[in-house]
Amino acid sequence: MQAVKNAVIAAAGMGTRLGAGKPKSLIKINGKALLEYQLSLLANVENVFLVVGFMEEDVMTFASKIRRDIIFVRNANFQHTKTLGSFYLAARNINGSAIFMDGDMIIEPRTFAKFLETAARLDDNELLIAVSKRISDDPVYCAIEQRGDDLRIHGFSFEEKSAYEWANVVYMPAGLMINGSSHTFEHLQKFLPAAAKVIDRLEIDTPEDLRGAEKFFKTNDWFGIN
Amino acid sequence: MIVSCTKIGDVMKKFAFDLDGTVTKVETLPLLAKELDLADEMKLLTDLTLSGQIPFEKSFRLRYLILRNIPLKKIQEIMDGVELDAEIAAFIRENKKNCAVVTGNLDCWIAPIIAKLGCESFSSTSEPDEKNSPVLKKILDKGSAIRALKKISNKVVAVGESFNDVPMFEEANISVAYGGVHKPVSAAISVSDYVVFDGGALCRLLKML
């Protein structure tokens, strides 16, 4: 068993739907920035790559105070790329596998820890795709087959409804990332079927999401802070 | 698609390090100026140069003219005591053949540091006069140093933090802005591929590139 060594967080986007006038990763929820929640999940991962773009210096100044040894990857073309493009910029120099995660959500730590444990047990060339119980308004559904505790994902779809949706987190060999303009899940389609694991999460895309998250944390203590 | 990962032992790969504020934990010229009780003035001049408010060449000529009043032996003694970033210095020593220091600083002034690191260097050059005091000959254009390295290497990685590292970053295949001593200037960040603030993280990144 080899512990997960590399993690990539895509935080280059403008977060326009949130309209906060600052990068989404710096938005505070219950007094803690979105990025702090994500970094706290990766305390035991040796190399953390944070892809920055929009207001990059603000993000770097803030993030380096939380974790000094972050490797910042610049996506100067952030206005014209999707998450996959940001992932690729970090992936191109990573040897071995990495966790790739979108920076626009809060993930529940216990389910994420299980995801890390499962990822560490995989063979070198295997993928582990995170799915979650449906939370999005416009979900990417996942066709899931369950065998005991093990889940396998067979496909992504906007139409074929399912209880699970794509969670924007994947553990995979960095060499399989490409520099594309498609959605990450469209690229992952090539590698299915693959192992899947459920994580709980909250997406922060809109002002409603933000209010919803603050309300959610009044009754759900994911981070032991209440 | 496979991501290529060249071994560090590959002589084709070159790492070009800025010296002051990257390999050294302090800017060395203000430290030297303490000898003349001009440390604050030198720091002001150095800060303005780092941020690009005055051109490096003119500023260095001026700083040289001030500091040349210190005996060379004393300068080398001070330089010998300058604290280095332990992790970067160790990386350079372990990968001597793949590393070069690229600095606008003067060859005979930095000699004790280069001797400790054991790698090649590109710097401003001097010739000794009849009293063995260095006479400034040529101020280094960092871009030209990278062009020279590219003739023997297919992958040059530049590491620096200040305004005069911009030409180096523009020529290099991969550029890393390093904020271990102070935050890299915005101009250097804007032409870099990676930004790191920690010596250990920098060395882990360099091993991956």
Side-chain angles (χ1 to χ4, degrees), chain A residues 46-47 49 56-57 60-61 64 68-74 88-89 91-95 174-175 177, chain B residues 1-5 155 174 179-180 183 186 189-198 201 204-205 208-209:
Chain A
E46 185 180 21
N47 299 312
F49 298 82
E56 56 178 357
E57 291 200 34
M60 290 193 281
T61 302
S64 61
R68 181 84 180 162
D69 72 347
I70 294 172
I71 297 170
F72 296 96
V73 182
R74 293 188 62 247
Y88 172 74
L89 287 174
R92 59 186 172 163
N93 289 306
I94 296 176
N95 195 14
M177 267 305 165
Chain B
M1 195 201 74
I2 304 292
V3 171
S4 68
C5 181
K155 195 187 223 182
I174 299 176
K183 186 175 172 284
S186 296
I189 289 176
S190 71
V191 290
S192 69
D193 300 296
Y194 297 93
V195 184
V196 284
F197 294 85
D198 175 77
R204 294 203 303 275
L205 173 65
M208 288 180 224
L209 298 177

Side-chain angles (χ1 to χ4, degrees), chain A residues 149-223:
Chain A
D149 286 343
D150 295 336
L151 302 183
R152 285 192 79 70
I153 172 168
H154 289 267
F156 296 104
S157 170
F158 284 119
E159 292 88 23
E160 302 275 320
K161 293 196 173 162
S162 131
Y164 295 101
E165 67 175 4
W166 156 235
N168 293 295
V169 178
V170 58
Y171 179 76
M172 65 190 276
L176 296 179
M177 267 305 165
I178 56 159
N179 186 16
S181 57
S182 59
H183 290 290
T184 306
F185 75 87
E186 290 170 315
H187 174 58
L188 295 180
Q189 197 97 39
K190 294 176 197 139
F191 310 108
L192 301 185
K197 192 84 190 163
V198 176
I199 60 170
D200 294 334
R201 66 195 183 109
L202 296 178
E203 273 192 335
I204 312 293
D205 285 330
T206 62
E208 292 77 53
D209 289 343
L210 196 58
R211 283 193 290 274
E214 299 211 312
K215 205 172 148 202
F216 178 85
F217 283 125
K218 290 206 169 84
T219 49
N220 294 271
D221 197 9
W222 282 5
F223 295 89

Side-chain angles (χ1 to χ4, degrees), chain A:
Chain A
M1 184 160 136
Q2 204 188 345
V4 171
K5 216 180 148 190
N6 304 298
V8 177
I9 305 173
M14 295 191 278
T16 9
R17 277 183 293 167
L18 204 52
K22 60 174 166 179
K24 199 191 271 187
S25 53
L26 303 189
I27 301 279
K28 290 204 168 159
I29 296 154
N30 277 7
K32 251 169 84 171
L34 198 46
L35 189 60
E36 289 182 81
Y37 290 103
Q38 285 147 7
L39 290 173
S40 71
L41 300 170
L42 302 171
N44 296 321
V45 177
E46 185 180 21
N47 299 312
V48 173
F49 298 82
L50 186 65
V51 186
V52 293
F54 179 60
M55 297 178 77
E56 56 178 357
E57 291 200 34
D58 290 348
V59 179
M60 290 193 281
T61 302
F62 180 81
S64 61
K65 278 181 196 145
I66 297 173
R67 180 167 170 162
R68 181 84 180 162
D69 72 347
I70 294 172
I71 297 170
F72 296 96
V73 182
R74 293 188 62 247
N75 181 357
N77 198 26
F78 65 92
Q79 282 176 287
H80 309 288
T81 59
K82 289 201 176 76
T83 308
L84 182 61
S86 281
F87 283 158
Y88 172 74
L89 287 174
R92 59 186 172 163
N93 289 306
I94 296 176
N95 195 14
S97 289
I99 286 196
F100 296 89
M101 51 200 281
D102 204 343
D104 64 357
M105 58 192 157
I106 298 181
I107 302 174
E108 191 279 319
R110 279 163 293 263
T111 51
F112 189 80
K114 292 232 170 69
F115 182 88
L116 283 178
E117 280 168 31
T118 311
R121 285 199 296 269
L122 295 180
D123 289 335
D124 286 349
N125 54 358
E126 278 186 289
L127 284 79
L128 182 65
I129 293 173
V131 298
S132 46
K133 296 275 166 56
R134 228 207 87 180
I135 53 163
S136 303
D137 298 330
D138 47 356
V140 175
Y141 296 109
C142 298
I144 293 289
E145 173 200 357
Q146 187 153 10
R147 285 187 203 152
D149 286 343
D150 295 336
L151 302 183
R152 285 192 79 70
I153 172 168
H154 289 267
F156 296 104
S157 170
F158 284 119
E159 292 88 23
E160 302 275 320
K161 293 196 173 162
S162 131
Y164 295 101
E165 67 175 4
W166 156 235
N168 293 295
V169 178
V170 58
Y171 179 76
M172 65 190 276
L176 296 179
M177 267 305 165
I178 56 159
N179 186 16
S181 57
S182 59
H183 290 290
T184 306
F185 75 87
E186 290 170 315
H187 174 58
L188 295 180
Q189 197 97 39
K190 294 176 197 139
F191 310 108
L192 301 185
K197 192 84 190 163
V198 176
I199 60 170
D200 294 334
R201 66 195 183 109
L202 296 178
E203 273 192 335
I204 312 293
D205 285 330
T206 62
E208 292 77 53
D209 289 343
L210 196 58
R211 283 193 290 274
E214 299 211 312
K215 205 172 148 202
F216 178 85
F217 283 125
K218 290 206 169 84
T219 49
N220 294 271
D221 197 9
W222 282 5
F223 295 89
I225 47 179
N226 292 349

